[in-house]
Every structure is written in C-alpha cells, then in structure tokens.
Amino acid sequence: MRLLSIEEVTFRTSLSRTFINRLRSEGQFPVAVAVGDKRISFVESEVEDWMQQRINDRDSKLKAQEGLTVSI
C-alpha cells in the first residue's frame, strides 16, 4: 500500500488542489489519511479506483449515446 501526497494526487488527476478539496467536502473524493499534524495523504489504490470510476462513467455514457443513434 502506498500513500500519495496532495501534490502527487493533483499531478495524477490533473485537478487543482482547490477542486480536489471541493470534491472532498462534497464527499465525492477518497477520504484523506492524516499522517501528521498538518499533513494528509491519500491511499493510492483509492485514488486510482476513483479515476477508473470516472472512466467507466464516461464509457457508459458513450455506450448509451451510441444506443440512441438510429442507423438508416
């Protein structure tokens, strides 16, 4: 198991720290782990799962759109 710093998470997700914190406050991002008084990290596998879910959501929407396309 590996922990990622917020800097690593912003790099991997291409999201800003501000946006990640907004998602966290809305309960839409993996919960951080306190590793010190003023330091948090994220479980790598949880961040990867979150990213994979975004990809799965995209793919599901694309498939649904293809199903609505009528062939002539």
Side-chain angles (χ1 to χ4, degrees), residues 15-30:
L15 299 173
S16 70
R17 179 187 298 243
T18 301
F19 192 68
I20 288 171
N21 286 331
R22 184 180 313 147
L23 291 173
R24 289 177 56 216
S25 71
E26 296 170 355
Q28 297 181 21
F29 199 79

Side-chain angles (χ1 to χ4, degrees), residues 12-61:
R12 286 187 182 207
T13 62
S14 300
L15 299 173
S16 70
R17 179 187 298 243
T18 301
F19 192 68
I20 288 171
N21 286 331
R22 184 180 313 147
L23 291 173
R24 289 177 56 216
S25 71
E26 296 170 355
Q28 297 181 21
F29 199 79
V31 177
V33 177
V35 293
D37 289 340
K38 297 182 180 183
R39 182 134 177 111
I40 61 167
S41 293
F42 297 86
V43 178
E44 181 180 40
S45 61
E46 292 175 1
V47 174
E48 289 175 347
D49 290 346
W50 181 87
M51 290 188 298
Q52 185 62 53
Q53 187 58 51
R54 306 287 75 71
I55 294 167
N56 294 346
D57 291 348
R58 178 207 58 195
D59 292 348
S60 293
K61 288 177 185 175

